[in-house]
mmCIF file of all heavy atoms in Angstrom:
data_model
loop_
_atom_site.group_PDB
_atom_site.id
_atom_site.type_symbol
_atom_site.label_atom_id
_atom_site.label_comp_id
_atom_site.label_asym_id
_atom_site.label_seq_id
_atom_site.Cartn_x
_atom_site.Cartn_y
_atom_site.Cartn_z
ATOM 1 N N ALA X 3 359.013 189.149 157.696
ATOM 2 C CA ALA X 3 360.300 189.841 157.698
ATOM 3 C C ALA X 3 360.161 191.269 157.141
ATOM 4 O O ALA X 3 360.759 192.215 157.613
ATOM 5 C CB ALA X 3 361.340 189.075 156.932
ATOM 6 N N ASN X 4 359.407 191.414 155.999
ATOM 7 C CA ASN X 4 359.309 192.741 155.402
ATOM 8 C C ASN X 4 358.117 193.583 155.855
ATOM 9 O O ASN X 4 357.790 194.606 155.273
ATOM 10 C CB ASN X 4 359.373 192.648 153.911
ATOM 11 C CG ASN X 4 358.112 191.962 153.300
ATOM 12 O OD1 ASN X 4 357.249 191.582 154.053
ATOM 13 N ND2 ASN X 4 358.104 191.781 152.003
ATOM 14 N N LYS X 5 357.417 193.094 156.892
ATOM 15 C CA LYS X 5 356.329 193.835 157.476
ATOM 16 C C LYS X 5 355.073 193.922 156.627
ATOM 17 O O LYS X 5 354.155 194.677 156.851
ATOM 18 C CB LYS X 5 356.712 195.192 158.013
ATOM 19 C CG LYS X 5 357.770 195.148 159.047
ATOM 20 C CD LYS X 5 358.165 196.485 159.509
ATOM 21 C CE LYS X 5 359.091 196.428 160.652
ATOM 22 N NZ LYS X 5 360.369 196.337 160.628
ATOM 23 N N MET X 6 355.056 193.190 155.513
ATOM 24 C CA MET X 6 353.895 193.130 154.669
ATOM 25 C C MET X 6 353.563 191.625 154.377
ATOM 26 O O MET X 6 354.460 190.808 154.227
ATOM 27 C CB MET X 6 354.159 193.847 153.338
ATOM 28 C CG MET X 6 354.318 195.238 153.480
ATOM 29 S SD MET X 6 354.653 195.911 151.770
ATOM 30 C CE MET X 6 353.754 197.415 151.926
ATOM 31 N N GLY X 7 352.313 191.396 154.165
ATOM 32 C CA GLY X 7 351.850 190.057 153.825
ATOM 33 C C GLY X 7 351.192 190.037 152.481
ATOM 34 O O GLY X 7 350.751 191.076 151.974
ATOM 35 N N GLY X 8 351.144 188.862 151.901
ATOM 36 C CA GLY X 8 350.474 188.748 150.624
ATOM 37 C C GLY X 8 349.147 188.017 150.808
ATOM 38 O O GLY X 8 348.810 187.519 151.808
ATOM 39 N N PHE X 9 348.453 187.965 149.684
ATOM 40 C CA PHE X 9 347.158 187.245 149.668
ATOM 41 C C PHE X 9 347.243 186.269 148.528
ATOM 42 O O PHE X 9 347.539 186.604 147.405
ATOM 43 C CB PHE X 9 346.047 188.270 149.434
ATOM 44 C CG PHE X 9 344.676 187.818 149.892
ATOM 45 C CD1 PHE X 9 344.391 187.378 151.164
ATOM 46 C CD2 PHE X 9 343.705 187.837 148.986
ATOM 47 C CE1 PHE X 9 343.120 186.987 151.450
ATOM 48 C CE2 PHE X 9 342.377 187.431 149.315
ATOM 49 C CZ PHE X 9 342.107 186.970 150.579
ATOM 50 N N SER X 10 346.997 184.977 148.834
ATOM 51 C CA SER X 10 347.095 183.995 147.801
ATOM 52 C C SER X 10 346.106 182.875 148.014
ATOM 53 O O SER X 10 345.393 182.906 149.021
ATOM 54 C CB SER X 10 348.547 183.422 147.723
ATOM 55 O OG SER X 10 348.826 182.706 148.915
ATOM 56 N N GLY X 11 346.137 181.917 147.133
ATOM 57 C CA GLY X 11 345.292 180.768 147.327
ATOM 58 C C GLY X 11 343.873 180.957 146.735
ATOM 59 O O GLY X 11 343.575 181.883 145.970
ATOM 60 N N PRO X 12 342.975 180.011 147.131
ATOM 61 C CA PRO X 12 341.609 180.065 146.536
ATOM 62 C C PRO X 12 340.841 181.347 146.697
ATOM 63 O O PRO X 12 339.970 181.647 145.889
ATOM 64 C CB PRO X 12 340.900 178.930 147.331
ATOM 65 C CG PRO X 12 341.971 177.994 147.832
ATOM 66 C CD PRO X 12 343.172 178.917 148.063
ATOM 67 N N ALA X 13 341.175 182.106 147.698
ATOM 68 C CA ALA X 13 340.476 183.387 147.899
ATOM 69 C C ALA X 13 340.625 184.385 146.692
ATOM 70 O O ALA X 13 339.745 185.218 146.496
ATOM 71 C CB ALA X 13 340.927 184.089 149.234
ATOM 72 N N ILE X 14 341.739 184.344 146.000
ATOM 73 C CA ILE X 14 341.983 185.242 144.916
ATOM 74 C C ILE X 14 341.546 184.647 143.556
ATOM 75 O O ILE X 14 341.599 185.398 142.537
ATOM 76 C CB ILE X 14 343.408 185.731 144.840
ATOM 77 C CG1 ILE X 14 344.338 184.617 144.499
ATOM 78 C CG2 ILE X 14 343.781 186.428 146.162
ATOM 79 C CD1 ILE X 14 345.740 185.138 144.107
ATOM 80 N N LYS X 15 341.133 183.399 143.522
ATOM 81 C CA LYS X 15 340.829 182.812 142.230
ATOM 82 C C LYS X 15 339.750 183.580 141.413
ATOM 83 O O LYS X 15 339.944 183.772 140.239
ATOM 84 C CB LYS X 15 340.442 181.327 142.406
ATOM 85 C CG LYS X 15 340.341 180.625 141.073
ATOM 86 C CD LYS X 15 339.930 179.169 141.250
ATOM 87 C CE LYS X 15 338.460 179.042 141.020
ATOM 88 N NZ LYS X 15 337.872 177.783 141.045
ATOM 89 N N PRO X 16 338.677 183.958 141.972
ATOM 90 C CA PRO X 16 337.687 184.707 141.181
ATOM 91 C C PRO X 16 338.257 185.937 140.428
ATOM 92 O O PRO X 16 337.995 186.198 139.302
ATOM 93 C CB PRO X 16 336.574 185.121 142.120
ATOM 94 C CG PRO X 16 336.736 184.067 143.300
ATOM 95 C CD PRO X 16 338.139 183.786 143.354
#
Side-chain angles (χ1 to χ4, degrees):
N4 66 1
K5 297 181 174 86
M6 294 181 141
F9 199 56
S10 67
I14 66 166
K15 189 179 97 176

